[in-house]
Amino acid sequence: MQKLIIDGGLPLNGETVIQTAKNAALPIIAACILTDEPVTIENCPHLNDIDAMLNIMRHLGCTAEFFGDNLTVCCRDVALNVINSDLTGKLRSSIFILGSILSRCRRAYISHPGGCEIGLRPIDLHISGLKGLSVKIVDDCGVICCDGTDMKSGVINLDFASVGATENLMMAGALLDGETVIVNAAREPEIVDLAEFINAMGGDVRGAGGSVISIRGVKKLHGSAYTPMPDRICAGTVLAAVNATGGSVTVKNVVPDHIFGITERLKKAGARLSVRGNAVRITADARPRPIHKLETNVYPAFPTDMQPQFCAMLARASGSSVIVENLFENRFGYTSELVKMGASITVKDRIAVVNGVSSLHGATLKACDLRGGAALVIAALAAEGRSVVYGVEHIDRGYECIERTFAELGGAIHRAEV
Ligand code: UD1
């Protein structure tokens, strides 16, 4: 077990290069099952969630090995082992693997991934979508048993534009005869990245990034080398941190369009931003300004995965902000930790009212989920005095060595054993 020790109050300055996206790499790794040839995922981030997905792949008989930052996955043989709850419990998005196993093997057995800290996270849309492709699915004491012997392509209308369900169905359709169409598909950039990866393996996916995606199944996919997109949430996390602490930082390896929903809100919160190619520069020389109403929603709106980091930033704002969380029902758990630092935040259901205070003070804190953990780091960097953040394993799920990123920008932050 490890902790982060943070002496706050220093501005952040310099430049940083953003890692490739966890939420793009995870479905791309799952999609490797679609081919029996080796795939190289270049610049794959080293994260706990990636390790958890690779353990599932190895459990199915695939090989997966890092050579430096490049990950090589080979799914020559795929064994139909039950993916039990020890494995699915480590990674909620383990369910994303169902579509690719079914497409390749026509059967799959996976334990229910269960809920998590930020909400119930049901999988009904994944299940009903696969049923729409004629997969027979029964729940056998918590193990989802899928029989895709009679699987065929079709038109799936999603009741909600779920990211994971869209990705699962794209993979499910990749090797099916005929055309699978997803209506009301999610439009997140990670969906486009997955489509480009499937196409790089010889697939035929069209329309990703829009709300109707067409997948024409091909007989066989081949190996490929692919670099996932930059992580828009990691970029947003650094930008929010700079607006919280003050300073001036250039964030490199970003797709500015992907983070437009974030940068527009940062401007409202008083930051100055400029874009040059794939770099964004932020300068913040005063306390953040409040945001009258900050509401999360599906892309291209403000992402739920940035809500906690913005809340931490707004805790020091020169006025009151209202944050509305529309995606997950329980995503304000981290706010009680911010209150320990002197923040004034009231939560009712899915709404948080943040009354900015002139300064936060250091405290002993516990991260209970990934983005909530990042919010604690931001608050601690901006606070007066020392904070100790426990539960670092949650942060390591999505940030490759978060302390190095902020230390290189001038933050006083280091990791230690508990
Ligand atoms: C993905 C991201 C996650 C992000 C989320 C929303 C990955 C690995 N994770 O998660 O970081 O927070 O998108 O942008 O890419 N829902 C149902 N039934 C379902 C599926 C989802 O009701 O079958 C609900 C969820 O409970 C939630 C909402 O739909 O309220 C959004 O979920 P979804 O878009 O599926 O998120 P994930 O793919 O799980």
Side-chain angles (χ1 to χ4, degrees):
M1 298 290 263
Q2 296 179 322
K3 60 187 177 185
L4 293 173
I5 300 166
I6 302 167
D7 290 306
L10 297 173
L12 297 172
N13 286 294
E15 58 181 50
T16 189
V17 180
I18 297 299
Q19 67 189 57
T20 48
K22 163 182 94 73
N23 286 355
L26 284 173
I28 285 172
I29 291 171
C32 292
I33 291 182
L34 295 170
T35 175
D36 58 5
E37 296 179 13
V39 173
T40 299
I41 300 165
E42 294 164 341
N43 264 323
C44 184
H46 298 264
L47 300 167
N48 286 359
D49 270 15
I50 299 288
D51 290 340
M53 184 60 102
L54 295 180
N55 283 338
I56 294 175
M57 304 288 284
R58 294 185 185 111
H59 178 73
L60 296 173
C62 310
T63 60
E65 206 179 336
F66 267 103
F67 298 95
D69 290 337
N70 292 346
L71 171 69
T72 299
V73 178
C74 184
C75 304
R76 200 184 57 199
D77 305 304
V78 181
L80 282 175
N81 299 327
V82 177
I83 305 170
N84 57 41
S85 55
D86 290 354
L87 292 164
T88 60
K90 296 243 163 44
L91 180 68
R92 159 68 220 186
S93 43
S94 49
I95 194 74
F96 292 16
I97 210 166
L98 205 47
S100 57
I101 307 177
L102 273 167
S103 195
R104 170 92 182 265
C105 310
R106 302 294 152 111
R107 280 183 191 276
Y109 307 94
I110 186 166
S111 292
H112 202 287
C116 70
E117 310 74 20
I118 63 173
L120 287 173
R121 304 190 83 173
I123 55 165
D124 54 311
L125 297 167
H126 299 249
I127 300 295
S128 61
L130 291 170
K131 282 184 175 168
L133 300 179
S134 302
V135 180
K136 295 188 190 77
I137 304 180
V138 291
D139 188 322
D140 183 6
C141 301
V143 178
I144 304 160
C145 303
C146 303
D147 176 356
T149 324
D150 300 324
M151 232 172 135
K152 52 177 185 291
S153 51
V155 178
I156 309 297
N157 210 322
L158 289 176
D159 289 340
F160 177 81
S162 154
V163 175
T166 302
E167 292 171 338
N168 232 335
L169 292 167
M170 285 163 68
M171 294 187 251
L175 296 173
L176 280 186
D177 274 347
E179 183 184 15
T180 296
V181 178
I182 309 171
V183 180
N184 194 27
R187 294 182 293 154
E188 270 67 4
E190 291 78 7
I191 307 267
V192 179
D193 217 36
L194 176 62
E196 286 178 2
F197 174 63
I198 294 174
N199 291 344
M201 292 194 293
D204 186 356
V205 181
R206 298 175 198 193
S211 50
V212 178
I213 301 179
S214 144
I215 306 113
R216 285 168 207 264
V218 296
K219 288 267 171 293
K220 192 170 161 45
L221 291 171
H222 56 73
S224 178
Y226 192 82
T227 306
M229 58 177 264
D231 196 311
R232 60 195 174 102
I233 304 302
C234 287
T237 301
V238 173
L239 294 171
V242 178
N243 203 37
T245 61
S248 188
V249 168
T250 300
V251 180
K252 293 185 164 172
N253 192 34
V254 294
V255 180
D257 279 355
H258 289 176
I259 58 170
F260 186 76
I262 300 169
T263 49
E264 284 304 291
R265 271 74 175 188
L266 282 165
K267 285 181 190 164
K268 282 190 180 169
R272 280 184 284 129
L273 288 128
S274 59
V275 174
R276 202 167 174 180
N278 69 349
V280 172
R281 183 165 185 81
I282 180 166
T283 304
D285 39 29
R287 254 171 96 183
R289 279 199 227 126
I291 300 179
H292 172 61
K293 191 173 183 194
L294 181 69
E295 211 168 337
T296 67
N297 221 321
V298 296
Y299 189 82
F302 183 75
T304 175
D305 283 358
M306 279 303 302
Q307 177 263 101
Q309 301 90 313
F310 262 58
C311 184
M313 175 188 88
L314 294 170
R316 276 198 63 243
S318 53
S320 298
S321 308
V322 174
I323 304 179
V324 182
E325 172 55 58
N326 286 312
L327 271 298
F328 293 105
E329 64 270 24
N330 192 21
R331 206 165 195 177
F332 284 122
Y334 66 89
T335 56
S336 56
E337 299 298 286
L338 297 183
V339 169
K340 286 187 196 165
M341 306 175 80
S344 169
I345 304 173
T346 330
V347 176
K348 190 160 189 300
D349 301 326
R350 292 178 180 224
I351 298 176
V353 178
V354 186
N355 295 311
V357 293
S358 57
S359 68
L360 299 172
H361 54 78
T364 300
L365 306 166
K366 187 167 185 308
C368 292
D369 70 273
L370 166 56
R371 306 302 171 187
L376 302 186
V377 171
I378 290 176
L381 287 166
E384 300 299 324
R386 173 165 288 198
S387 296
V388 181
V389 180
Y390 291 89
V392 183
E393 64 280 7
H394 294 289
I395 301 172
D396 291 338
R397 284 185 41 220
Y399 296 89
E400 217 176 16
C401 212
I402 196 166
E403 73 278 17
R404 191 180 58 211
T405 302
F406 286 123
E408 284 175 359
L409 295 174
I413 172 170
H414 68 277
R415 184 182 290 250
E417 294 300 325
V418 171

